[in-house]
Amino acid sequence: MSKFIEKKIIKASKRGITFSFWNKTNDNHLKTEFDVGDKYIIDLKNKKMVILPSDNGLTVSKKRVNNEVKPLFDIRNAKTLQAFEGSEYLEVTIFNDKILVEGFNTTENEFSDKDASISSLLNVEKVTSTCFNRNEFDEIFDNLPGEVASYKYPMQVVSLFSGAGIFDFGFEKENFEIVFAIDSNEAATETYKVNLGEYIVCGDVCTFPKEQVPQAKIIIGGPSCRPFSLARCDYGTNKGKIENHPDCRLIYEYTQWINSEYADYDIFVMENVPGLLTANNGLYLELIKNELPGYEITSGIVNDLEQGGYQNRNRAIIIGSKIGKVNIPTPKVKKEDFKTFGDALKLVDETWYNYSDVSLPREDTLNRMRYVPQGGNFKNIPKELRTKAVHSNSYKRLALDEPCITLVNYRKPIIMHPIYDRILTVSEAAAATGLDKTFKFLGSLSAKQQQVGNSVPVNLGRSVAREVFNTIMKYVNKQLRLRIQSVV
């Protein structure tokens, strides 16, 4: 999976395209697959110049800075120079496994924070990209023009209340790097480890020593939703009052992680059920704003179907930023184009993990299931056979040609397969969450079902991550533009 490392602006030269970068961390680990002496090739892909690691081809040269050595690329192929003719600046985006180069020209337009396009952000006009293919290589020369500017922004993320890691998984899909995660559920943390990484801790967010958390500029997480869920909290009794629920303190605890003396976060993202935004007349949203006055805060509801997912699932998203406003994702898919549960079901076969993980019904439960058609629920069951459950999702049979309903722990209300008289398998529920066959849930059967039910759907999470990334790129490019103005 590609991970963003650094973005650079260099001044275009008729002599060639030359740039270098620091490729080692403080503990001497490599950031990319490119190092002095390694091989690389240049590929033509979507009219962009893409530099790729290879077992043969060109050799990465070196540039000495004091006593340190940086990887150096000096590309002088004639077709390259012709392709970038007219470009005043080249934008070099460095990932761990590839490097992208594009050409730009300056314009007279004023910079606008409201315009998210890269051309406006850089105050440049895109001119050209490339004209390379795999068989055209360049020679390395010693003489090189100086770099104009470079600026890098760390893409590392700290995750709280991480569960099985599906929200984190969405961020990783958008080139963020999770460096620390924590959750108190042992089975969920084991699932996280096998799918995302060993950096998750099974522990209590309220007591974990914050000085032991790696440095990052971004923190994400979803504190317990139980106090704010209408399905779980009886607002009409003293027992059910939100403030009496012990998990309420976790909202405040999240803000204390952001305010920690050991951290310096530029952006935070909190996800929860929609009820968080309006609970106690907005008291908890106001608490977040009061505890975090240094952040520009946006909030809203995001639906998975509207982001290209399979579930009609809404999540409240609260985002705070010190580097510019982060927008709440807007709908990307029209209602007539929503995906259905049948679309998700088509993906699942015996090659999926958790394919056979399913709770089999008792005979009386099976008898009730037989009465329910696709799209139906407990109301289709004869009254004399019904249980006391009257929630609309009780004995809900999904329909092949309709979107999936919100999947909490689908075993408890008995959410059924469209065709078979049983509840969903773990793999079928995972597919409806936007996961693929490579994601593996661990723990007891009930633990696996709960982990899927607690998950933020992948497409919903990715849509939030993209908005965060867009704001970071606006910030990075603004800094680059200021540097260009200072040296040109």
Side-chain angles (χ1 to χ4, degrees), residues 14 79 105 119 121 165 190 214 224 238 272 315 323 338 349 360 378:
K14 294 181 180 180
K79 289 188 176 181
N105 254 352
S119 295
L121 291 169
E190 290 304 310
S224 171
N238 287 331
N272 213 285
R315 299 301 287 180
I323 61 172
F338 283 170
D349 59 29
L360 298 178
F378 76 96

Side-chain angles (χ1 to χ4, degrees), residues 281-486:
N281 296 315
L283 175 67
Y284 292 91
L285 180 58
E286 196 62 28
L287 166 69
I288 294 167
K289 292 179 179 179
N290 290 339
E291 290 294 323
L292 303 169
Y295 292 84
E296 182 176 7
I297 294 178
T298 53
S299 62
I301 307 297
V302 183
N303 182 276
D304 185 46
L305 289 174
E306 294 176 340
Q307 302 303 325
Y310 301 96
Q311 279 189 57
N312 186 17
R313 185 166 194 160
N314 290 318
R315 299 301 287 180
I317 302 297
I318 303 172
I319 306 175
S321 173
K322 290 181 177 180
I323 61 172
K325 179 181 178 181
V326 181
N327 294 317
I328 300 299
T330 56
K332 304 298 188 297
V333 179
K334 297 179 181 179
K335 186 174 182 180
E336 57 268 26
D337 296 323
F338 283 170
K339 291 180 179 178
T340 67
F341 181 69
D343 294 329
L345 204 58
K346 291 175 184 176
L347 303 173
V348 182
D349 59 29
E350 62 276 3
T351 64
W352 280 58
Y353 284 116
N354 310 115
Y355 179 74
S356 300
D357 288 338
V358 62
S359 297
L360 298 178
R362 300 192 311 259
E363 187 59 37
D364 57 338
T365 303
L366 181 62
N367 189 35
R368 296 186 192 100
M369 288 179 169
R370 291 169 178 152
Y371 288 96
V372 183
Q374 288 191 33
N377 63 7
F378 76 96
K379 294 181 180 180
N380 298 103
I381 302 171
K383 289 185 178 180
E384 63 273 17
L385 297 178
R386 295 178 189 174
T387 66
K388 294 181 180 180
V390 293
H391 193 281
S392 60
N393 286 348
S394 179
Y395 280 89
K396 177 71 175 179
R397 189 183 293 276
L398 300 178
L400 289 171
D401 59 354
E402 296 177 2
C404 183
I405 63 173
T406 299
L407 294 181
V408 287
N409 189 331
Y410 53 91
R411 174 178 56 85
K412 294 179 180 179
I414 306 181
I415 297 175
M416 295 184 286
H417 190 282
I419 300 172
Y420 305 117
D421 291 330
R422 59 167 175 79
I423 67 168
L424 303 180
T425 66
V426 173
S427 59
E428 290 164 349
T433 305
L435 295 166
D436 60 29
K437 65 180 181 181
T438 64
F439 201 95
K440 183 178 183 179
F441 288 92
L442 300 180
S444 66
L445 178 56
S446 62
K448 296 172 186 176
Q449 293 165 337
Q450 188 69 59
Q451 289 169 44
V452 180
N454 289 345
S455 299
V456 177
V458 175
N459 277 56
L460 195 162
R462 293 187 69 171
S463 72
V464 176
R466 282 193 293 270
E467 293 297 340
V468 173
F469 185 81
N470 288 342
T471 294
I472 289 173
M473 288 298 97
K474 289 178 68 174
Y475 176 75
V476 167
N477 285 309
K478 185 174 183 179
Q479 301 306 309
L480 285 170
R481 178 176 176 269
L482 294 174
R483 292 192 178 195
I484 291 172
Q485 291 176 339
S486 70

Side-chain angles (χ1 to χ4, degrees), residues 67-78:
N67 294 324
E68 302 290 336
V69 174
K70 302 167 69 175
L72 170 68
F73 293 81
D74 190 8
I75 302 168
R76 303 193 176 238
N77 181 280

Side-chain angles (χ1 to χ4, degrees), residues 171-187:
F171 269 75
E172 285 210 341
K173 285 285 187 180
E174 296 300 324
N175 293 319
F176 290 87
E177 179 187 7
I178 314 297
V179 294
F180 176 84
I182 182 170
D183 194 272
S184 60
N185 185 284
E186 185 175 353

